[in-house]
């Protein structure tokens, strides 16, 4: 099967499941589909750095959490009518999603730029360790920041607003997240097919060739990391809005690990690998999680099988299915 | 006489007590193939690393068309027109031959667009196809490099270098592992290439060197002990002692 048909099928499937659940009066399933879309978005961000750029970041929870806290800080001030700052003008925070998204993208990109500048001096296992260290740093920073809930996190009582939509209606909030996922995947496809994507992909396989071509691979990687952090940050803001809650666990290294797992399950570097991986992850979490609290053992076995079968993941597996005609 | 395309002046580098480059002077002139030969461990590869910018000399200068590039890094020297091929494949093996060469075209321009289709851009694909045609690989444009034969990826490496419109080329053992026929084919290609950009050629196959090279420099223990036309080098007593052995 051609990968574009697999991609179309995966995305249409996700949309149809949500619509069907909405029509059948199953709002919880709509919420699960929303979670799939948001996790896929977070992993799509990581996929640019990891899948194409070859940067195994075990610290992407930093950007997810930062996006979450961008939402939490802005919305908690707004809901308490407690200005974030009063000079040079009074800023009360905001409950407006578009504004929150821009803030999450900006802080995600900024954090990725700083962390990337430092981490990209290393490579291989040192890069993994230094990104992990940043993740732990942010985790403990969030815990020790009492103004924003510390260990208990922050509750946002009413979901933030989007002009013209009722965001508390699960299907409408799904629509927002799904639309953002589609837009970001479209952007990712364009980036991957661009000269920049060509060079980034080559820098993973053959950095000396990239340098001999007059291109500095570390600059490519830094830009990829910044875009990656911005997208994962945006996903963090949406995830916080889904739960109407942020806490330091968004920064935990388990979250970073899960994002990597999603990508490996779905297919490293494949455009819709994150979608396939997130869908499988959420389904397993629901079904197996109901059977046993040790459901992650099964996830581990599945991961093992996928890794042994090669780098293609689910999307790669489907692509090997011969098409008729 | 025209200015050399590439010159080394007193290039010196040591690893601890080991002098791998010892006051090396070398010129690469327009239109020539200049072979750099010498025994294993003589310092050929480290000299190339210094020419290309991967390794800093402790002293001395490297000039590309008269410009001092000693402080420049690898990508900047490449953009300035220093092309190179590697002893072991440097290519992105999952990518096609065309994509590998397009990368060189994109790098030469110095601007990597994020928002346009690489394959849809004629300003990238046309020069890349032309470079592939020059090395006789237009038919393999869409083959992943990993699936190409040894001789073919050597040619892709050369196509990448050509696609950068180089002013000087440095090639590390391009003939290694090719077999008699392959060596003849690639030698013919190098003769065509040198007209566009002179080649500094590191090579172990002495028959090929003396057949190809306009001039030969002999490096022993980090020092150039002789430079001259092939025949003169072959007859040079010092070179025979140090490296080639007596002419049979
Ligand atoms: N990074 C390094 N550190 C220490 N010694 C090195 C290093 N690179 C090369 N050498 C030494 O420098 C000498 C020249 O090596 P090289 O340039 O590879 O020789 P050639 O290519 O002529 O065979 C060798 O003795 C080698 O062991
Ligand atoms: Mg060598």
């Amino acid at each position: 099967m051609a990968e574009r048909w697999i991609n179309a099928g995966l995305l249409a499937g996700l949309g149809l499941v949500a619509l069907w659940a909405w029509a059948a009066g199953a709002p919880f399933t709509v919420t699960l589909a929303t979670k799939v879309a948001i996790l896929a978005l977070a992993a799509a961000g990581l996929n640019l750095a990891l899948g194409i750029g070859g940067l195994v970041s075990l610290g992407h929870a930093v950007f997810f959490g930062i996006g979450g806290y961008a939402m939490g800080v802005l919305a908690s001030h707004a809901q308490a009518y407690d200005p974030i700052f009063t000079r040079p003008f009074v800023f009360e925070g905001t409950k407006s999603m578009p504004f929150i998204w821009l803030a999450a993208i900006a802080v995600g990109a900024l954090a990725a730029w700083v962390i990337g500048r430092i981490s990209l001096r290393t490579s291989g296992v040192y890069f993994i360790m230094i990104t992990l260290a940043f993740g732990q740093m942010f985790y403990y920073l969030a815990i020790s920041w009492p103004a924003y809930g510390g260990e208990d996190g922050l509750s946002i009582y009413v979901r933030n607003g989007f002009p013209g939509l009722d965001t508390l209606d699960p299907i409408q909030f799904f629509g927002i997240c799904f639309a953002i996922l589609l837009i970001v995947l479209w952007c990712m496809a364009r980036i991957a097919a661009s000269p920049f994507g060509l060079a980034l992909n080559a820098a993973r396989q053959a950095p000396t060739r990239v340098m001999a071509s007059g291109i500095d691979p570390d600059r490519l990687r830094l830009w990829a990391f910044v875009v990656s952090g911005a997208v994962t940050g945006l996903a963090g803001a949406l995830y916080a809005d889904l739960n109407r809650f942020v806490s330091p666990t968004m920064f935990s290294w388990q979250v970073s690990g899960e994002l990597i797992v999603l990508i490996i399950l779905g297919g490293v570097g494949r455009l819709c690998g994150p979608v396939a991986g997130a869908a499988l992850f959420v389904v397993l979490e629901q079904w197996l999680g109901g059977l046993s609290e040790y459901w992650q053992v099964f996830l581990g076995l599945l991961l093992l099988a996928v890794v042994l079968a090669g780098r293609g993941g689910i999307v790669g597996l489907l692509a090997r299915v011969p098409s008729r005609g | 006489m025209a200015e050399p395309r590439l010159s080394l002046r007193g290039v010196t580098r040591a690893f601890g007590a080991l002098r791998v480059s010892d006051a090396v002077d070398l010129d690469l002139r327009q239109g020539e193939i200049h072979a750099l030969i010498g025994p294993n461990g003589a310092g050929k590869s480290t000299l190339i690393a210094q020419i290309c910018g991967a390794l800093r000399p402790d002293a001395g200068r490297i000039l590309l068309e008269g410009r001092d590039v000693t402080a420049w890094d690898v990508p900047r020297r490449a953009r300035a027109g220093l092309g190179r091929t590697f002893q072991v494949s440097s290519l992105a093996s999952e990518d096609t031959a065309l994509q590998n060469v397009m990368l060189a075209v994109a790098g030469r321009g110095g601007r990597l667009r994020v928002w346009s289709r690489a394959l849809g851009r004629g300003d990238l694909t046309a020069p890349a196809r032309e470079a592939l045609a020059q090395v006789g690989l237009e038919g393999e444009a869409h083959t992943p490099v990993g699936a190409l034969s040894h001789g073919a990826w050597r040619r892709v490496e050369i196509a990448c270098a050509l696609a950068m419109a180089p002013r000087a080329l440095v090639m590390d053992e391009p003939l290694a592992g090719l077999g008699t026929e392959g060596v003849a084919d690639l030698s013919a290609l190098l003769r065509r290439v040198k007209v566009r950009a002179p080649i500094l050629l590191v090579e172990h196959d002495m028959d090929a060197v003396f057949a190809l090279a306009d001039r030969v420099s002999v490096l022993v223990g980090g020092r150039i002990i002789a430079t001259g036309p092939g025949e003169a080098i072959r007859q040079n007593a010092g070179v025979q002692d140090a490296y080639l052995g007596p002419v049979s």
Side-chain angles (χ1 to χ4, degrees):
Chain A
M1 258 191 287
E3 192 167 328
R4 61 189 317 165
W5 291 113
I6 300 170
N7 294 345
L10 281 168
L11 291 169
L14 179 58
L16 286 175
V17 164
L19 278 177
W20 166 83
W22 170 65
F28 182 64
T29 305
V30 177
T31 299
L32 287 182
T34 311
K35 187 174 175 186
V36 169
I38 295 171
L39 290 181
L41 183 65
L46 178 59
N47 204 22
L48 179 67
L50 189 153
I52 302 183
L55 302 168
V56 183
S57 161
L58 194 46
H60 253 53
V62 168
F63 313 121
F64 198 59
I66 269 187
Y69 271 86
M71 177 290 217
V73 169
L74 288 170
S76 68
H77 280 277
Q79 77 183 1
Y81 302 104
D82 167 24
I84 296 182
F85 55 80
T86 52
R87 263 176 301 184
F89 57 91
V90 178
F91 182 53
E92 296 241 356
T94 178
K95 295 274 296 171
S96 156
M97 278 189 186
F99 193 94
I100 287 169
W101 298 341
L102 286 179
I105 289 170
V107 288
L110 184 67
W113 188 78
V114 173
I115 293 176
R117 282 296 295 259
I118 297 167
S119 309
L120 284 168
R121 293 177 190 179
T122 66
S123 59
V125 74
Y126 297 100
F127 182 82
I128 300 178
M129 285 302 125
I130 199 164
T131 51
L132 173 64
F134 274 111
Q136 293 304 88
M137 216 171 81
F138 274 83
Y139 177 71
Y140 287 108
L141 209 67
I143 282 186
S144 57
W145 199 12
Y148 295 108
E151 207 165 350
D152 300 331
L154 272 174
S155 284
I156 304 301
Y157 305 116
V158 178
R159 190 170 284 153
N160 296 303
F162 188 91
L165 293 178
D166 173 12
T167 55
L168 283 172
D169 178 6
I171 192 68
Q172 294 193 39
F173 185 58
F174 171 82
I176 290 173
C177 297
F178 190 59
I180 291 178
L181 175 66
L182 292 181
I183 292 168
V184 166
L185 286 177
W186 181 74
C187 292
M188 288 297 177
R190 285 210 59 155
I191 292 174
S194 72
F196 173 85
L198 180 74
L200 182 65
N201 193 34
R204 185 191 74 241
Q205 307 169 56
T208 49
R209 168 50 49 201
V210 172
M211 281 196 273
S213 302
I215 301 162
D216 178 358
D218 276 337
R219 278 194 57 189
L220 299 172
R221 294 184 182 124
L222 184 61
W223 279 112
F225 205 66
V226 166
V227 174
S228 173
V231 170
T232 303
L234 175 59
L238 291 171
Y239 193 73
D241 237 330
L242 174 69
N243 300 320
R244 281 170 271 168
F245 177 65
V246 282
S247 77
T249 49
M250 280 183 81
F251 283 115
S252 70
W253 68 268
Q254 286 92 334
V255 170
S256 298
E258 275 166 17
L259 292 179
I260 295 179
V261 168
L262 297 190
I263 289 179
I264 294 175
L265 281 179
V268 177
R270 308 272 185 161
L271 180 64
C272 283
V275 181
L280 186 66
F281 185 86
V282 169
V283 166
L284 287 179
E285 186 182 42
Q286 282 309 309
W287 282 357
L288 295 177
L291 299 178
S292 153
E293 58 179 305
Y294 301 111
W295 71 277
Q296 299 219 349
V297 172
F298 297 101
L299 183 68
L301 289 175
L302 194 67
L303 194 62
L304 201 63
V306 167
V307 169
L308 291 178
R311 178 180 141 86
I314 299 170
V315 174
L317 216 62
L318 290 173
R320 261 181 266 160
V321 175
S323 47
R324 278 170 294 165
Chain B
M1 201 181 71
E3 183 175 47
R5 287 287 177 87
L6 178 72
S7 2
L8 277 61
R9 288 289 171 267
V11 169
T12 300
R13 167 81 200 206
F15 290 118
L18 180 70
R19 284 211 162 184
V20 289
S21 304
D22 193 351
V24 173
D25 289 339
L26 193 81
D27 283 330
L28 181 64
R29 297 179 194 146
Q30 193 168 334
E32 75 171 345
I33 292 181
H34 188 150
L36 180 66
I37 64 173
N40 262 327
K44 302 181 296 292
S45 294
T46 41
L47 192 62
I48 287 197
Q50 292 172 88
I51 293 172
C52 296
L55 184 71
R56 273 293 159 84
D58 297 328
R61 294 188 308 149
I62 295 160
L63 306 164
L64 184 62
E65 297 191 286
R67 269 187 298 176
D68 189 335
V69 300
T70 318
W72 296 10
D73 62 9
V74 175
R76 189 165 175 204
R77 289 185 203 192
R79 287 196 300 274
L82 187 62
R84 82 170 288 193
T85 66
F86 293 79
Q87 189 174 350
V88 291
S89 172
S90 71
L91 301 168
S93 56
E94 292 170 16
D95 291 351
T96 64
L98 185 66
Q99 284 173 318
N100 272 280
V101 184
M102 279 164 60
L103 184 68
V105 181
R108 175 184 65 182
R111 281 196 64 198
L112 286 176
R113 288 166 193 275
V114 179
W115 209 247
S116 61
R117 277 181 53 77
L119 278 171
R121 290 178 65 86
D123 57 340
L124 289 188
T125 50
R129 282 183 189 283
E130 196 191 311
L132 280 174
Q134 277 162 8
V135 301
L137 279 179
E138 57 271 65
E140 304 287 355
H142 293 292
T143 311
V145 167
L148 289 176
S149 70
H150 181 73
W153 67 246
R154 282 263 143 96
R155 284 166 181 271
V156 177
E157 289 253 345
I158 294 173
C160 287
L162 288 179
M164 304 218 38
R167 306 296 295 163
L169 288 165
V170 178
M171 299 191 181
D172 201 354
E173 302 209 26
L175 305 176
L178 282 184
T180 333
E181 207 172 311
V183 167
D185 282 354
L186 209 68
S187 296
L189 174 60
L190 294 187
R191 279 197 193 92
R192 292 198 298 275
V193 166
K194 77 171 185 181
V195 182
R196 297 185 44 194
I199 303 171
L200 181 65
L201 177 74
V202 172
E203 190 46 65
H204 270 129
D205 179 341
M206 285 305 127
D207 292 336
V209 163
F210 288 110
L212 265 176
D214 301 290
R215 289 195 301 153
V216 177
S217 287
V218 185
L219 190 72
V220 177
R223 302 185 50 175
I224 303 267
I225 60 166
T227 295
E231 204 43 44
I233 292 295
R234 239 205 273 241
Q235 305 299 339
N236 182 307
V239 175
Q240 289 178 8
D241 284 350
Y243 181 42
L244 288 177
V247 182
S248 49

